[in-house]
Amino acid sequence: MSTGADSRFMRLAIDLGRRGQGRVWPNPAVGCVIVRAGVIVGRGWTQPGGRPHAEVCALARAGAAARGATAYVSLEPCAHTGKTPPCANALIAAGVVRVVTAVTDPDPRVAGKGHAMLRAAGVAVEEGVEAEAAALANAGFLMRIRHGRPMVTLKLALTLDGRIATASGASRWITGSQARRRVHQMRASHDAVIVGAGTARADDPDLRVRDLGVAHQPVRLVADSRLGVAASGRLGRSAGAAPVWMLHGPKAPGGARRDWERAGAELIPCGLDAMGRLDMADALRRLGARGITRLFCEGGGGLAASLMQAGLIDELAVFSAGHVFGGDGTAALGALGVTDIGPHPFGLTGSAACGADLLHRWRRTGLAAALLTD
Ligand code: AOF
Ligand code: ZN
C-alpha cells in the first residue's frame, strides 16, 4: 500500500530527476530518494551523459544508512549490465528493504525485470506511485522508447495579436530580456534545438545556450529541405564548437552538402511530405534513432505548422508581449487548413508573468496516457 508520504518522497525524486533534462540523452532523467525511519539519507539523479544512474548516486550518499531503508525511484531500476551493473542489484546489495517506483521502464532490457529482480530478493516493491507526473517529467525518454521520436516543445514569442514579425519582416525583439533568459534555460533542458530554414536565413541564429554558466550545449538543428542555408553563417562557423545537424531532403545539392560537411555539421537525409516539405514525422524518427529525447522548436511559422499539422507538438511555451502588429504582420504558424472546431488539442498547465511578458505553458491532451502505453 502506498501512503501520502510515499507520494511526497516520489515527487521529490521526480524533481531531482528533472535536473538531468537535456544532458542525459539517450538515457532517461531519473531521480532517487532514500529514506530511513522517515529521514532522507540519500538523494541522487542521473548524471550528465546518462551515467552513473540515479540509484547509484543516492546509495553512495546514503552509505550504510541504506540498510533497512526505502528507495523512491522515478523509473523502474535497471536490470541490465551495460557500462554499469544493474541498479536493482545495487539496491539489493545495499540492504534496501522497500522500493517505490513511479513508471515501468519500457526499455526492452528492463521492462519489468528490475521489479522482478527486487521481488525475487525479498524486497517489497510498490509500483505506479505518481505515475503521471513521472511520465511527464520523462516524456522525452518514454516517447523515444515507446513511439520512436523525441518529445517536442514549441516555443512561440508573440505579440498580443499572435504575430511574430511586422509587415516589413522585423521580428527582433518582441519579448524582453527576462523572457529571452528563460528561453536559454529552456534550451538547456532540451537535448536539441531546431529552427526552420526561413528562420535560419532571416535571423542567422547561433542557438547556443548563453550566460547561464552551463557547460553542455544542445544539438543545433535546421530543417532545410533544399539545404539552402549558407554554411558560412553563424551555425556553420560554430559547428566545430557545438554540434550542428542539418535535416535535408533528397534533392539537396551536392555543393551545399559538401559545404556543411566541411564546416563540421552532420547531414541527416529525410523524406518529404505530400506538400514537398520535409516530412517531420520521418525527421523526428531519425532524431529518435540517434538518441534525441527532448526537442525544442524555436520556429519559424512554416516548421511550426508542419509539426502542428503532423500532431507532433507535445508542449508549448507561449510568450506574449505587449506589442500589436495587426493582420499585415506574420502569423505565428503558417496555414493549417483548420475548418471545424473540435475538442481542445492542448490544455493549460501553467501561466506566469516573465518580466514584462506573460508565459503560458500548454500540453497536448492525452500526452501522459500516450507515454504510459505503446
Ligand atoms: C536506472 N536509473 O538513473 C537511469 C536508467 O546505457 P546504460 O547502461 O546506462 O543503460 C541505459 C538504460 O538504463 C536506459 O535505456 C534506461 O532503460 C535505464 N536508465 N535506469 O535505473 C537511471 N538513467
Ligand atoms: Zn540503473
Side-chain angles (χ1 to χ4, degrees):
M1 253 264 305
S2 74
T3 63
D6 286 343
S7 286
R8 271 201 316 281
F9 287 126
M10 183 56 80
R11 284 201 297 272
L12 178 58
I14 293 166
D15 282 342
L16 288 173
R18 276 204 193 88
R19 295 183 182 189
Q21 284 180 345
R23 28 178 136 183
V24 299
W25 66 280
N27 278 1
V30 181
C32 176
V33 175
I34 298 177
V35 177
R36 188 170 168 193
V39 177
I40 295 174
V41 295
R43 303 179 313 152
W45 54 94
T46 314
Q47 293 300 295
R51 294 180 207 100
H53 289 181
E55 300 89 320
V56 172
C57 298
L59 286 171
R61 287 296 194 90
R67 198 151 292 282
T70 296
Y72 296 87
V73 199
S74 63
L75 186 75
E76 175 187 13
C78 66
H80 66 286
T81 304
K83 292 216 169 94
T84 50
C87 289
N89 282 353
L91 291 162
I92 295 163
V96 167
V97 293
R98 181 167 179 257
V99 173
V100 180
T101 68
V103 176
T104 302
D105 184 349
D107 186 312
R109 295 171 296 176
V110 187
K113 297 188 203 84
H115 288 141
M117 277 166 71
L118 292 165
R119 288 197 175 98
V123 177
V125 177
E126 182 83 44
E127 301 176 36
V129 173
E130 297 291 325
E132 204 163 287
L136 292 169
N138 255 321
F141 175 76
L142 296 174
M143 189 66 89
R144 183 174 78 77
I145 299 286
R146 290 197 188 277
H147 305 290
R149 69 163 175 92
M151 70 84 71
V152 179
T153 305
L154 173 64
K155 179 219 81 181
L156 296 170
L158 309 175
T159 63
L160 290 181
D161 55 336
R163 306 284 135 178
I164 57 172
T166 66
S168 65
S171 60
R172 277 183 173 168
W173 299 93
I174 292 175
T175 48
S177 58
Q178 279 203 37
R180 295 206 293 275
R181 192 178 159 77
R182 193 66 194 276
V183 167
H184 280 261
Q185 289 168 346
M186 289 178 182
R187 282 182 187 169
S189 73
H190 288 75
D191 311 345
V193 176
I194 188 169
V195 294
T199 297
R201 254 195 305 270
D203 294 357
D204 189 21
D206 180 283
L207 299 177
R208 274 179 290 186
V209 178
R210 291 185 296 276
D211 305 328
L212 292 180
V214 297
H216 78 287
Q217 290 291 342
V219 176
R220 296 171 293 164
L221 297 162
V222 184
D224 184 2
S225 60
R226 286 177 304 235
L227 214 51
V229 175
S232 54
R234 283 207 180 96
L235 285 167
R237 292 202 304 275
S238 61
V244 173
W245 297 356
M246 301 297 292
L247 300 163
H248 65 83
K251 294 217 176 95
R257 292 185 205 212
R258 279 191 294 281
D259 289 347
W260 278 104
E261 267 170 358
R262 222 174 282 138
E266 187 171 332
L267 297 181
I268 303 181
C270 304
L272 301 178
D273 68 11
M275 294 166 71
R277 308 173 301 190
L278 269 193
D279 177 347
M280 289 315 296
D282 180 51
L284 293 196
R285 267 194 303 277
R286 292 171 193 274
L287 297 179
R290 283 170 166 77
I292 299 293
T293 66
R294 293 171 56 80
L295 179 64
F296 189 60
C297 175
E298 298 206 41
L303 176 60
S306 294
L307 289 165
M308 188 64 82
Q309 253 174 341
L312 296 168
I313 306 281
D314 301 302
E315 294 190 1
L316 287 118
V318 183
F319 293 91
S320 304
H323 285 293
V324 178
F325 293 168
D328 48 350
T330 308
L333 268 68
L336 292 177
V338 176
T339 50
D340 302 321
I341 304 176
H344 291 92
F346 298 99
L348 189 65
T349 60
S351 190
C354 186
D357 307 310
L358 195 59
L359 169 58
H360 294 297
R361 306 215 58 158
W362 301 85
R363 181 180 303 132
R364 186 152 66 81
T365 311
L367 177 61
L371 297 170
L372 291 165
T373 48
D374 287 325

